[in-house]
Amino acid sequence: KGAIVVLPPKRADTLRPRMKNIVVLISGRGSNMEAIVRRCASEGWPARVAAVISNRADAAGLVFAREQGIATAIVDHRAFASREAFDDALARAIDAFAPNVVALAGFMRILTAAFVQRFDGRLVNIHPSLLPLFPGLHTHARAIEAGCKVAGATVHFVTSDLDHGPIIAQAIVPVLSADTEAALAARVLEQEHVLYPLAIRWLVEGALERRDGRVLHVGNESQLLGSR
């Protein structure tokens, strides 16, 4: 009920041993999803984007995914009477692709605690602020209004607390005196397209360790990206 799945033709790369599966959830254009797909292919990760799933049939990112031969699924939240019922159907759609990583990339639904627990340690998100600052919406306007001198983006493991969870990596950009919300958002998004694929590559390569509520890179690579 409420789920439509489009499977691509079988490809040789789906048969590689030890390949990890990444499932990406989107609600719109999916620019971060595109960045993940492109970087995964160009850098030869030991993984593949196995599926892109959306709660909206008109999500533009689904078109890109299909063009890349990636399976897509639609689980329309409007088809379910409760958030719990939607999350259960969404989880079943995700599980069909045996995911090692589930990446939220502009997925505009608040997930239940049971869903988050089901994918604990595999569920990641990117948020357009330097968490714990400015969780929620309108992050760039709030950063400008607060007089922040830097803004940025954060990749984190998802917990039941909205826009909280152990931080995997962050990227910073300066807040310029003439910045508008749109101008700052555009510069932050450029960094997101670098930061999110990097963090997911670390995850699929087993390069991250969670220790005492913190996420550390086992090879001591910097988990902070900067931009002028």
Side-chain angles (χ1 to χ4, degrees):
K1 177 182 177 182
I4 302 171
V5 180
V6 178
L7 295 173
K10 290 184 178 179
R11 302 182 304 176
D13 63 356
T14 66
L15 304 177
R16 294 179 192 171
R18 298 184 299 278
M19 291 288 284
K20 294 186 177 179
N21 290 327
I22 302 166
V23 173
V24 185
L25 307 187
I26 65 170
S27 292
R29 61 177 173 158
S31 68
N32 272 309
M33 175 272 294
E34 287 191 27
I36 293 165
V37 169
R38 295 187 190 281
R39 198 67 62 84
C40 180
S42 66
E43 296 181 351
W45 299 355
R48 67 187 181 109
V49 177
V52 174
I53 300 176
S54 180
N55 63 307
R56 297 180 58 94
D58 61 352
L62 294 172
V63 176
F64 171 83
R66 290 166 188 152
E67 291 173 347
Q68 306 306 307
I70 297 170
T72 62
I74 301 162
V75 185
D76 189 340
H77 61 279
R78 296 169 298 182
F80 299 91
S82 68
R83 182 171 293 169
E84 290 76 12
F86 167 71
D87 278 8
D88 186 59
L90 178 63
R92 292 197 305 271
I94 294 169
D95 280 338
F97 298 97
N100 301 97
V101 177
V102 180
L104 307 181
F107 188 66
M108 304 304 290
R109 301 294 301 170
I110 295 176
L111 299 167
T112 60
F115 181 96
V116 171
Q117 182 60 39
R118 183 170 182 157
F119 297 105
D120 182 52
R122 295 180 286 164
L123 185 62
V124 294
N125 182 46
I126 189 164
H127 183 74
S129 80
L130 296 174
L131 294 175
L133 295 175
F134 310 125
L137 302 175
H138 310 298
T139 58
H140 308 299
R142 290 157 66 195
I144 292 170
E145 290 168 2
C148 293
K149 307 310 175 189
V150 294
T154 302
V155 180
H156 63 98
F157 284 106
V158 176
T159 67
S160 56
D161 294 325
L162 181 65
D163 294 331
H164 286 78
I167 292 171
I168 297 171
Q170 293 182 306
I172 58 172
V173 301
V175 179
L176 306 179
S177 59
D179 262 339
T180 63
E181 181 179 4
L184 180 57
R187 291 206 314 283
V188 171
L189 186 61
E190 288 182 4
Q191 289 297 298
E192 289 181 39
H193 293 166
V194 178
L195 182 72
Y196 210 5
L198 177 63
I200 291 178
R201 176 171 66 83
W202 287 342
L203 190 56
V204 299
E205 289 178 344
L208 299 175
E209 178 183 349
R210 294 174 68 169
R211 186 189 309 163
D212 299 326
R214 300 172 61 200
V215 181
L216 304 175
H217 189 282
V218 297
N220 294 318
E221 284 193 39
S222 175
Q223 292 167 257
L224 177 66
L225 302 183
S227 174
R228 294 183 180 182

